[in-house]
Amino acid sequence: MDKLEFQVNPTINHIAKMENILVGYWASDCWDVRLCPVLNKTWTRNYVYLKFDYILNPHIKREIKYFIAYRLTEYSWSVESAWKGNIIKYLIIFIENKYSHISSFMDVPKDILLKDYKAFLHRKGKPLRKKGKKINSDWVRFFLTLYDFLVEFYDEREETEKDIWNVNKLKIDYNQSSGLRLLNFEMVPPTFKVLLKRYIKEILLVHQSISWGSIHNYVSQLTRFFTFISESYPNWKDIVLLSRQDILDYLAFLRSTPMGGNSSNKKIYENQLPSNHYIYTCIQKVKIFISHLQRFEWSEAPVTSVSKLIFTEDMPNITRSRGNPNRIKYIPDEVWEQVISNINKLPSKYVPILIILEASGFRISDVLLLKTDCLLRKDDGYWLVGDQAKVKYKSHKVPISEEVAKTVKAQEKLVSKESTIKTNPNNYLFPTLSGPRVGKPVSPLALSRNLNTFAAKNDITDQNGSLFYFNNHAFRHRYGVNLINNGMKLLHVQKLMAHASPEMTLIYAQIHDKTLRNEWEKTREAGAIRLDVQGEVITADLKQQAEENGLELEWIRHNMDSIRLDHGFCVKSPKVSCEFLNQTIEPPCIKNNCRSFHVDQTFLSYYEEQIAKIESDIKIYKKTGRTRSIEIIEPKLKRYQDIVDGLKKGDNIFGLDKRRREYVEEEREEINSNG
């Protein structure tokens, strides 16, 4: 938590809050576990009583009792954990021997108290870490959890003023299956901490242009940048004087400094020089940051334009794996068969998650965020309904078999029986019913760890006989590959998998491109194809198709390969990478005038609705004086209006003109002969 730059102290209101909890059973100084209000099973252990009567300091007694009672009644701590009385007892003995005069744990800074307590535990022969592990022992962990809890309880500042932000107090949407609950600014150099927190608040809470899951990377990369600047210029309190040479020096620093990493991968990267991807990310975040400061016209912004500070040449080339089938990790049939054969050996709580993950193609976070009413029965069978958080699709539906539906029903019944409004307030299908994550979905990391432990114990191997390592997202890849292998059209695969772009879908198609190539060659030999009344593919003459449908020949040619989006058709070849794929502010194909993007009159109502919405927003912006918002949105309105005007002229296609599109062979010959 914060290093007590801001002093937190108990007030009369805080004491009243604690006293309101410590009534009835919790008011006693001797808690009988058999009478505990939150005990939901028969107690079979020897220790029955949790006593507090030996705590002489009434202030310390109240804080400890409140902490335990609160955690128990919120189900974020188990009864078994609380009734380890000796863990509490050693802390009390330490406090009364060395700090008997304090009126709160907050009277002593955390780092000092922790240092003294560790020394006390060492003298008493108690371990500071768990045997054979690098994690804190139960004695140390109890102290840290208690102290951090009290800091958060007493500190009533705005969340964004603190050095650690709790997402639950920011009132924003976030992926609750993720374990990323806190955002830490403690490592930011003090002179730049206020600026960085103000910036993160702006883009995360005010503009909401970035998600909670992505913001951690921004803080990490900008902390690295500010640390470098702080060491280079100890007296700087802003980056007004930042120069091109400073950027070059930072680039040299990045290239010569090992990447480091988080606690789980630090050992792997601590001696490894940075990759191009790492350098690219570091510089990109700094570029975006400077660009924003200058657009916001903040006084801390560099006086030199960002375009003169960071050049395109500074960004390393990145070799992307998109389109390379050898880099796509998915679960092959032979591995899945081994999983099914041994599935009774997987912890039971993860079995239904695994089955739904494989059967639905949902991302792991979307499976874990399913609600108990996610099953839909229609005339044609069962459907699974859930939001797709990454692409912001609400109530996305996929068909599932009756066997999978039975699994969902069984899980619904189990959750209904075991959960309460307090332990599962959001009606998740896979809730955590106790512990620190109570009320949140099961953690994706927990599934991954258990699945790989299961694989090791049961010798789940790949086709080469090597132990198979499971990645949660590989189940989604398996779903996509199976759809393609079973002959489903790309448009339908894209819709089922809720892909935001056709290129995502095309990745799966390329996994078995040899088969697809053979099928394509067959259709090419025939010249063109069409469907008969039974839906079977038959040969057809391209010119005849044009005459029958009153269309241009190249329009038919393009639509054989096109993917229908919500705002038009993409006709880019699967072999060509989309340079605008990662842009998400608005449809990038429109913003960048992509030559592979087309619209016909079937999209007219879509653009008219969008224009009406934009015009409504502009009226609101004018009333509230948001001139900058109007400046940003007006170019988009003009682009949409141009599209509508083009469609209303009666043209078949609004996009590239005829002479720039592909032509069939006869048309090329005709054009060439006519000069």
Side-chain angles (χ1 to χ4, degrees):
M1 306 299 290
D2 292 8
K3 297 179 180 178
L4 292 188
E5 294 176 2
F6 172 84
Q7 188 64 40
V8 291
N9 293 304
T11 65
I12 294 175
N13 289 336
H14 290 128
I15 293 172
K17 285 182 181 179
M18 289 189 278
E19 296 291 356
N20 285 339
I21 293 291
L22 299 177
V23 295
Y25 175 86
W26 309 110
S28 171
D29 281 349
C30 180
W31 296 353
D32 185 334
V33 69
R34 296 165 298 185
L35 303 176
C36 183
V38 297
L39 183 68
N40 55 11
K41 57 185 176 182
T42 303
W43 187 259
T44 58
R45 304 193 180 189
N46 293 330
Y47 41 91
V48 174
Y49 300 102
L50 187 59
K51 298 182 179 181
F52 304 94
D53 52 359
Y54 62 92
I55 306 178
L56 301 179
N57 186 322
H59 309 295
I60 296 299
K61 180 193 292 188
R62 179 172 55 231
E63 286 183 337
I64 288 180
K65 287 178 65 177
Y66 173 71
F67 165 68
I68 298 174
Y70 181 89
R71 295 290 294 269
L72 285 172
T73 53
E74 291 296 316
Y75 295 92
S76 59
W77 213 22
S78 69
V79 175
E80 289 79 6
S81 297
W83 256 256
K84 293 180 180 178
N86 64 331
I87 293 177
I88 303 171
K89 193 168 186 177
Y90 274 93
L91 178 60
I92 297 306
I93 294 172
F94 159 71
I95 292 293
E96 294 191 344
N97 283 346
K98 191 171 178 66
Y99 294 102
S100 59
H101 60 285
I102 63 176
S103 59
S104 169
F105 280 98
M106 301 296 97
D107 290 349
V108 187
K110 178 181 176 181
D111 54 346
I112 295 175
L113 204 55
L114 178 60
K115 180 181 177 182
D116 290 345
Y117 185 44
K118 283 184 173 181
F120 169 81
L121 289 173
H122 181 70
R123 291 195 300 271
K124 293 293 183 180
K126 297 300 178 185
L128 303 182
R129 297 194 178 276
K130 286 201 170 185
K131 188 175 180 180
K133 298 182 180 180
K134 293 185 178 181
I135 60 176
N136 290 317
S137 66
D138 289 342
W139 288 272
V140 175
R141 188 164 54 181
F142 176 79
F143 164 76
L144 293 173
T145 307
L146 168 66
Y147 198 97
D148 289 348
F149 171 86
L150 291 173
V151 168
E152 192 168 344
F153 173 66
Y154 289 132
D155 190 351
E156 294 185 337
R157 289 177 297 168
E158 287 289 330
E159 196 67 14
T160 53
E161 294 179 21
K162 302 175 185 177
D163 279 358
I164 296 181
W165 299 359
N166 187 326
V167 66
N168 294 317
K169 295 185 177 182
L170 294 176
K171 298 179 181 178
I172 59 174
D173 290 332
Y174 73 103
N175 183 354
Q176 296 205 10
S177 70
S178 168
L180 296 174
R181 186 175 61 90
L182 304 177
L183 185 61
N184 196 326
F185 294 89
E186 288 184 334
M187 301 304 293
V188 183
T191 51
F192 293 105
K193 190 180 293 184
V194 173
L195 172 60
L196 183 56
K197 288 198 287 188
R198 179 187 172 200
Y199 171 68
I200 296 301
K201 178 181 179 181
E202 187 81 9
I203 62 175
L204 177 67
L205 304 180
V206 179
H207 296 290
Q208 296 184 6
S209 58
I210 192 169
S211 69
W212 177 255
S214 301
I215 201 68
H216 292 76
N217 187 252
Y218 269 73
V219 172
S220 174
Q221 302 292 9
L222 292 176
T223 297
R224 182 176 291 104
F225 172 69
F226 282 131
T227 300
F228 171 79
I229 294 298
S230 184
E231 291 174 354
S232 302
Y233 302 101
N235 296 323
W236 277 18
K237 295 183 179 179
D238 51 42
I239 54 173
V240 171
L241 300 179
L242 192 72
S243 68
R244 169 65 181 163
Q245 186 59 51
D246 295 324
I247 296 298
L248 292 175
D249 291 343
Y250 183 52
L251 268 167
F253 164 77
L254 290 173
R255 291 199 176 279
S256 61
T257 306
M259 286 191 287
N262 58 35
S263 58
S264 63
N265 63 18
K266 190 170 185 178
K267 210 166 195 179
I268 300 173
Y269 296 116
E270 60 185 355
N271 296 316
Q272 182 176 323
L273 290 179
S275 63
N276 278 353
H277 184 273
Y278 173 83
I279 300 293
Y280 184 96
T281 303
C282 290
I283 295 299
Q284 182 195 45
K285 297 297 185 292
V286 173
K287 184 177 182 180
I288 293 172
F289 171 68
I290 295 173
S291 175
H292 280 162
L293 291 194
Q294 293 178 342
R295 284 172 54 197
F296 299 160
E297 298 182 348
W298 286 5
S299 60
E300 298 92 343
V303 293
T304 304
S305 169
V306 65
S307 63
K308 294 182 179 180
L309 289 173
I310 300 177
F311 298 168
T312 302
E313 292 77 11
D314 296 335
M315 313 298 283
N317 291 326
I318 301 175
T319 303
R320 301 185 183 275
S321 62
R322 184 177 294 120
N324 181 357
N326 296 322
R327 296 291 300 275
I328 300 167
K329 181 79 170 178
Y330 73 104
I331 314 293
D333 288 342
E334 63 268 17
V335 172
W336 180 244
E337 288 170 4
Q338 294 174 67
V339 171
I340 294 300
S341 298
N342 295 279
I343 201 165
N344 61 313
K345 300 173 186 175
L346 184 69
S348 59
K349 66 183 290 186
Y350 299 113
V351 172
I353 299 176
L354 191 64
I355 291 174
I356 295 173
L357 188 63
E358 195 271 345
S360 66
F362 279 26
R363 296 171 182 86
I364 179 60
S365 57
D366 296 327
V367 169
L368 296 175
L369 289 171
L370 286 171
K371 302 297 182 71
T372 51
D373 60 354
C374 64
L375 193 63
L376 174 66
R377 178 66 187 268
K378 298 173 68 175
D379 292 341
D380 56 357
Y382 286 100
W383 295 71
L384 191 72
V385 184
D387 296 341
Q388 304 292 292
K390 183 178 180 180
V391 291
K392 298 181 180 179
Y393 289 175
K394 294 290 185 181
S395 301
H396 179 65
K397 298 191 293 291
V398 296
I400 57 174
S401 68
E402 190 166 345
E403 290 74 16
V404 175
K406 288 179 181 178
T407 300
V408 176
K409 289 179 181 179
Q411 180 64 18
E412 288 177 354
K413 186 176 181 180
L414 180 66
V415 170
S416 176
K417 179 182 177 182
E418 295 187 350
S419 66
T420 65
I421 188 63
K422 203 161 191 176
T423 58
N424 188 18
N426 295 309
N427 295 317
Y428 289 124
L429 186 63
F430 301 108
T432 302
L433 300 179
S434 64
R437 286 182 56 83
V438 64
K440 301 290 191 297
V442 169
S443 163
L445 185 59
L447 172 65
S448 180
R449 285 174 174 170
N450 277 272
L451 196 52
N452 283 300
T453 299
F454 159 80
K457 288 182 178 179
N458 295 282
D459 196 27
I460 308 294
T461 58
D462 61 19
Q463 60 181 357
N464 299 318
S466 301
L467 184 67
F468 192 85
Y469 179 80
F470 285 93
N471 176 301
N472 289 335
H473 201 67
F475 286 94
R476 178 168 167 82
H477 290 324
R478 170 177 169 78
Y479 183 80
V481 170
N482 283 342
L483 293 180
I484 293 292
N485 286 350
N486 287 311
M488 181 172 284
K489 293 185 179 299
L490 291 181
L491 177 61
H492 297 155
V493 176
Q494 181 189 356
K495 185 174 181 180
L496 268 181
M497 299 192 71
H499 278 155
S501 77
E503 280 212 352
M504 290 179 173
T505 313
L506 290 171
I507 290 175
Y508 301 116
Q510 293 177 48
I511 292 176
H512 288 275
D513 57 358
K514 185 176 180 180
T515 301
L516 294 178
R517 176 77 185 187
N518 291 338
E519 293 302 313
W520 179 81
E521 291 289 352
K522 292 177 184 177
T523 61
R524 188 182 181 189
E525 290 171 5
I529 59 171
R530 63 184 298 184
L531 300 178
D532 65 13
V533 293
Q534 282 78 36
E536 297 294 327
V537 175
I538 59 174
T539 60
D541 177 78
L542 198 56
K543 285 188 175 181
Q544 181 184 350
Q545 289 291 93
E547 292 172 359
E548 289 179 0
N549 293 279
L551 297 174
E552 294 177 309
L553 289 177
E554 74 276 10
W555 180 234
I556 296 176
R557 166 63 182 85
H558 274 266
N559 277 276
M560 285 181 179
D561 290 336
S562 67
I563 296 295
R564 186 181 178 94
L565 309 173
D566 59 354
H567 55 284
F569 288 103
C570 173
V571 295
K572 184 180 288 295
S573 168
K575 298 178 182 178
V576 180
S577 177
C578 176
E579 62 269 38
F580 313 126
L581 186 61
N582 294 323
Q583 299 182 21
T584 58
I585 300 301
E586 63 176 277
C589 31
I590 298 176
K591 179 183 177 183
N592 297 284
N593 299 318
C594 178
R595 66 188 305 275
S596 300
F597 176 72
H598 296 276
V599 181
D600 67 8
Q601 292 186 347
T602 63
F603 293 93
L604 183 59
S605 61
Y606 168 84
Y607 285 99
E608 288 177 337
E609 290 172 4
Q610 293 299 310
I611 288 172
K613 183 180 184 303
I614 293 173
E615 290 176 340
S616 175
D617 290 342
I618 289 176
K619 289 180 181 179
I620 296 173
Y621 295 156
K622 286 181 178 178
K623 288 181 181 179
T624 56
R626 294 170 61 182
T627 56
R628 181 56 184 154
S629 298
I630 296 174
E631 291 174 3
I632 292 172
I633 203 171
E634 279 184 335
K636 183 176 180 180
L637 175 62
K638 184 180 183 305
R639 283 193 292 271
Y640 282 16
Q641 190 62 59
D642 288 345
I643 292 174
V644 168
D645 292 343
L647 293 175
K648 286 184 176 180
K649 288 179 182 178
D651 296 335
N652 284 331
I653 312 166
F654 186 78
L656 297 182
D657 58 73
K658 181 181 178 72
R659 298 187 66 86
R660 293 173 60 201
R661 301 184 194 128
E662 289 188 54
Y663 288 81
V664 295
E665 186 175 356
E666 293 87 347
E667 286 187 311
R668 292 198 196 96
E669 291 176 353
E670 181 180 348
I671 291 172
N672 292 334
S673 64
N674 293 333

